[in-house]
Amino acid sequence: MLRLYSMQSSGNSYKVRLLLAKLGLPFRLVDIDLLRGENRTPEFLIKNPEGRVPLLELPGGRLLAESNAILVYLAEGTSLLPEDRFARAEALRWMFFEQHSHEPAIAAARFWLKLVRGGRDLRTHDIDRWMEEGHAALAVMERHLGRRSFFVDNRLTVADIALYAHTHVAEEGDIDLAPFPNVRGWLARVAAEADHVGMEWRPENATAMPAL
Ligand SMILES: N[C@@H](CCC(=O)N[C@@H](CS)C(=O)NCC(=O)O)C(=O)O
């Protein structure tokens, strides 16, 4: 069975849980609590030298890190990963945008302002930059969505899943979505798609990180 190392409140982990739920793929969820340093134990660093979640373990033991690489791997052969060469490259383009221009500001703001106790004081010097870069990324999305229902091919793809995960909780990092009506409309469309699950969803078989 697939095994996913994940933290429930991690947007990057949520991308993978959402895709697995949509595809109806059974998997074992292994909780890694970053706030307790479970991602920095020798056992976990053997699996992912970067010490990050999500991490996917395949039945034969092979390991795949990086949320968007995991999405592409799992969605292969499904309608969520375009077959057409150009559409597939466009999906990748938006996933690279998410990692380079969106997640570093929007996810970091939420992590430090909502999830880390005292994070606002620890990272005061970063807040203005997160707001500026987060708004800039949302403005790009707003313009793109002006004439489209979804990011690629006017249908749900892995690009939407990658961008949805942190955007739908951006306000938890003080990033106001009110000025972005197209983005808000798109968030509602993604959430209305078949087999959508929220960030709180978990399969029944969750376990803690096993010792080696
Ligand atoms: N680019 C990676 C980023 C993964 C990432 O930063 N994960 C966070 C949780 S959302 C993490 O594990 N942080 C712990 C750390 O960096 O020590 C991805 O998309 O999977």
Side-chain angles (χ1 to χ4, degrees):
M1 191 189 262
L2 292 168
R3 186 179 283 203
L4 179 68
Y5 298 87
S6 151
M7 185 162 99
Q8 201 66 28
S9 56
S10 141
N12 288 313
S13 300
Y14 169 53
K15 293 174 191 174
V16 183
R17 296 195 303 269
L18 173 54
L19 179 64
L20 286 163
K22 278 188 158 311
L23 297 177
L25 284 174
F27 68 102
R28 180 169 294 282
L29 186 79
V30 182
D31 287 309
I32 299 291
D33 189 342
L34 305 179
L35 302 174
R36 296 178 56 183
E38 290 176 2
N39 56 321
R40 297 284 160 184
T41 62
E43 292 83 0
F44 191 72
L45 289 172
I46 287 172
K47 292 181 178 291
N48 183 5
E50 266 197 297
R52 290 188 165 154
V53 291
L55 178 70
L56 184 72
E57 187 165 349
L58 305 185
R62 283 190 297 172
L63 292 152
L64 186 60
E66 287 295 333
S67 56
N68 291 349
I70 298 171
L71 294 186
V72 168
Y73 174 79
L74 291 172
E76 182 72 45
T78 77
S79 64
L80 293 168
L81 185 66
E83 252 182 64
D84 173 75
R85 183 177 174 185
F86 188 77
R88 179 179 283 231
E90 272 202 305
L92 292 176
R93 168 238 175 147
W94 284 108
M95 294 166 98
F96 295 143
F97 165 83
E98 189 264 347
Q99 285 287 294
H100 186 263
S101 306
H102 178 284
E103 192 254 18
I106 294 178
R110 174 172 172 267
F111 182 74
W112 288 101
L113 302 183
K114 168 152 173 97
L115 302 178
V116 177
R117 193 179 308 145
R120 191 177 293 274
D121 296 329
L122 288 170
R123 300 300 287 265
T124 330
H125 53 288
D126 286 315
I127 297 177
D128 285 351
R129 180 175 53 82
W130 289 333
M131 297 303 132
E132 191 181 318
E133 291 176 5
H135 279 89
L138 289 164
V140 171
M141 294 166 67
E142 181 72 11
R143 285 196 290 278
H144 185 73
L145 290 167
R147 287 174 294 113
R148 295 171 186 84
S149 304
F150 294 98
F151 273 84
V152 180
D153 260 5
N154 271 325
R155 64 190 168 93
L156 188 85
T157 69
V158 284
D160 300 287
I161 292 176
L163 282 162
Y164 179 85
H166 292 112
T167 308
H168 87 292
V169 286
E171 291 186 336
E172 294 181 3
D174 289 1
I175 296 180
D176 184 13
L177 292 177
F180 305 104
N182 297 334
V183 171
R184 286 187 283 111
W186 162 79
L187 287 173
R189 282 191 294 281
V190 172
E193 287 282 305
D195 300 315
H196 183 84
V197 294
M199 201 179 233
E200 70 295 341
W201 177 82
R202 310 159 55 77
E204 278 164 15
N205 60 11
T207 57
M209 172 76 186
L212 274 187

